[in-house]
Amino acid sequence: MDQEIDLGENNPEIKTKSIEQTLLPLVKQISTLLSHRERSICSERSLRVVARVGQAVNVAIERFVTVGESIADDNPEIKADLYQACKDARVAGEAIESLCEKTLDNSITERGAIARAARCLLSSVTRVLILADVVVVKQLIFSKDKVSRSLCRLENVTNFTEFVKAFSQFGGEMVELAHVTGERGGDLKDERRRAQMSAARQVLERSTMLLLTSSKTCLRHPDSETARQNRDTVFCQMRQAMDLIHHVVRDGVDPPASLCLDEEEGESLGPVLRTLDSLVEMTRLTTETERLGQCLDTMVDRTQDFTDSAYTPHHRRENILALCHRIRNHLQDLIRVASNPEHADSYSPSSDVEQAITQCLQATRDLRLELIDTAGEQTGELAPLVTRGGHQLVTDIRNSALAADVTRLEEYSDKFQETVDHIVEICKLLRHMAGTETLQVATYHAEYHLKIYAPQLVTAARTLADHPSSKIAKENLEVFADMWQALVSDITTLCKEIMDKERIPDKHTYMSLPRPGKHGTTNKPLKAVRLNLEEQEKIAKAGLEMKLATNEMEAETEKWKDQSAGDLEENNDIVKRAKNMSGMAFTMDLEENNDIVKRAKNMSGMAFSMYQFTRGEGTLRTTQDLFTQAEYFAEEANRLYKVVRQFSYQVPIGSHKKELLEQLDKVPTHVQQLQFTVKNPTVGKAATFTKVDSVIHETKNLMSVISKVVTTCFVCATKYNLDFRLASDRSSGGYRDGEDGGGGGQGGDGSKLGAGQGTDGNI
């Protein structure tokens, strides 16, 4: 099988929970090893323990790669890649054992070396597991292909004897496919993929009975065009469901040309409004406003499902159009003030920018509330529409078909189609209001299959009207009526779930990031919860990766110090910030006279305390502590972006400046993603843990980008002999003239979030 999968050397993506759990023992061993390495004083006994840990890691890796190589021998299509990953893991394991055997005296260089070896080991072992997972995917697709071939045989049978034999084989293969897809669906980490797998499995399960009765009806009445339409529609839907399974297990790589599922499922208004809010917030940091206009156009386009609906009241339509116009006007004002050169050069946003941002956010909030009310009014009609209208029409259609009353059948069919169209319109609005990807996917598929299968109920009734004495035609109609009942039941449940979540008062969302100190505007926080041991284990790998990244940067900044950079270090605020991010202390005089260094030390403490949280240690005790710390971390990244942007003006045009700007442009995106993740409201412990996991991953990604930016800044500074003080002077002035300075304040004095904890230790 030609299996394409993302196997990035530096950061292979884990898509299943089982791989994560397999990695957990290795993550624990490396974490233990690093914690020993960071102690300022190591006894001889401790060093012997460290050496034994290194030996144990290498022995375990040797056993692991032996199994990996045996899997490679049995699967030629992944043999070369798997052998290379096993080789990398073996080399990294040997390097760790060698480094652990050396006598260390808290050497920065050795700590950097073991961090790099650990990161290489973690990456290569992950690659081995992902490649081995290809074998599981291969088996699943093989099972799916067997069902596809059985469908082709069923479609081509010409008599009942062949059909019974073929359907019996098909049933056994469907049971096998249901088993493997159920296991795979439960193992997937991605919420959208799990929802897609669940939707595909549900269609296959429900369509099996439809396939049986429609095929029997077609065989009994071979000249009936309506019977053939029923059967062909069922075959088509089952094939699409299997295509979706293929799409999910391949994780979206090279999807079938007929499917654009991710795009269709993602066409909802809720995520667009949240993205627009995040982009508006980002104008505090950057003057890039092109995406604001694009997002606004997308938002207006998707509100048309509300304004164009024949069931939307006139006053609601007018309100929605007026609010869209209001948002456009406020965004134009924001773009105008944000493009002001004074804002571009200042360190903190001006009062005009803050006012424009507040107006935009309030307008989008008002629009969201209006859309919720509009959807609520229509969904209120769903229960009586379905219970009194739809079910009665299905009964009337059944009775008309049994009586072979074609005139009444067509009359009831037209009314039934109007009811279906109304429910489909409600589904569209529900999908826009769905707050999770699971609900978005479920609503999309319920709407889609209602549009497909509801008309087939009428088609089955026409077949029965043509053959009123046919028992199999009557059975076929009953099965399609059951399918209708199941679909409207799904929609009613989804309607209640979505609207109940949307009607929960949004007490804890805030219009901008909370600011500590006397200007603080933090609203009442979400209910704080502690993570249990199992949840800590789930995020241990992300925490370790963040730890390894900071250790490597610490070793890198120590190299800079060893080079002829004494004067540069004295005057270079970005190098100071990078060193502080790695937990390295500076002289008290430097801290007293440089606000940027103070904030860099806070950033160091934040990263350290967030890493400790993944181990159940440190001063961050609850999830709310973590989220607040992540807010401050993003604020400090904003300020670093400002400093580097000012410095980039000094860099001459060339490849180095291009590289610096390319890396720097990634910072606002990652900051925005982290802020969006932190501000996303959650309900329930499972959703809260998912948010914790996302925050840790986004923080790690942001740190990785900042590390590259800082390294490139140093290269530019040494190559062109540039002075960082120009950027610092302008930025520091902005601090003193501006507000309280954002996120660093709370941790600077070592208060409850412990943001200053890392400045005396090592990250």
Side-chain angles (χ1 to χ4, degrees), residues 108-121:
I108 296 292
T109 303
E110 292 298 342
R111 273 192 282 126
I114 201 166
R116 286 190 292 273
R119 201 175 201 187
C120 178
L121 178 62

Side-chain angles (χ1 to χ4, degrees), residues 124 248 321 484 635:
S124 55
V248 170
L321 292 173
W484 152 265
E635 288 278 6

Side-chain angles (χ1 to χ4, degrees), residues 11 14 20 23-24 26-32 34-35 38 115 118-119 122 189 531 534-552 604 606-617 620 626 633 689 692-701 703-704 762-763:
N11 189 26
I14 298 175
E20 229 174 30
L23 282 171
L24 184 58
L26 177 62
V27 168
K28 288 183 176 179
Q29 284 184 310
I30 295 176
S31 298
T32 302
L34 288 173
S35 65
E38 289 164 358
R119 201 175 201 187
L122 200 59
K189 289 178 60 182
L531 298 186
E534 180 182 357
E535 291 168 334
Q536 290 171 14
E537 290 176 347
K538 289 180 180 179
I539 60 175
K541 181 176 182 290
L544 177 59
E545 288 175 341
M546 184 165 65
K547 173 75 167 171
L548 293 172
T550 52
N551 274 4
E552 288 187 41
S604 169
M606 293 175 213
F608 183 65
S609 58
M610 292 173 77
Y611 161 69
Q612 287 184 310
F613 179 84
T614 66
R615 295 172 60 105
E617 303 170 355
L620 302 185
L626 177 74
F633 189 87
F689 172 72
V692 169
D693 186 45
S694 300
V695 166
I696 294 296
H697 277 85
E698 293 301 335
T699 303
K700 177 194 70 175
N701 294 338
M703 287 189 64
S704 179
N762 297 311
I763 294 186

Side-chain angles (χ1 to χ4, degrees), residues 8 45 48 145 188 227 257 332 344 355 363 376 388-389 476 531 603 618 638 642 647 661 733-734:
R45 180 181 177 183
R48 287 197 300 269
D145 288 341
L188 292 172
Q332 289 174 350
Q355 182 180 2
R388 289 199 296 268
N476 188 48
L531 298 186
M603 201 167 183
N638 286 352
K642 289 277 189 177
F647 166 72
L661 292 177

Side-chain angles (χ1 to χ4, degrees), residues 33 47 113 135 164 172 193 241 269 276 327 505 554 563 628 658:
L33 188 60
L47 293 175
V135 179
V164 170
R193 297 293 181 228
L269 186 55
L276 181 60
I327 292 173
E554 177 182 328
Q563 296 174 3
T628 305
K658 180 181 178 182

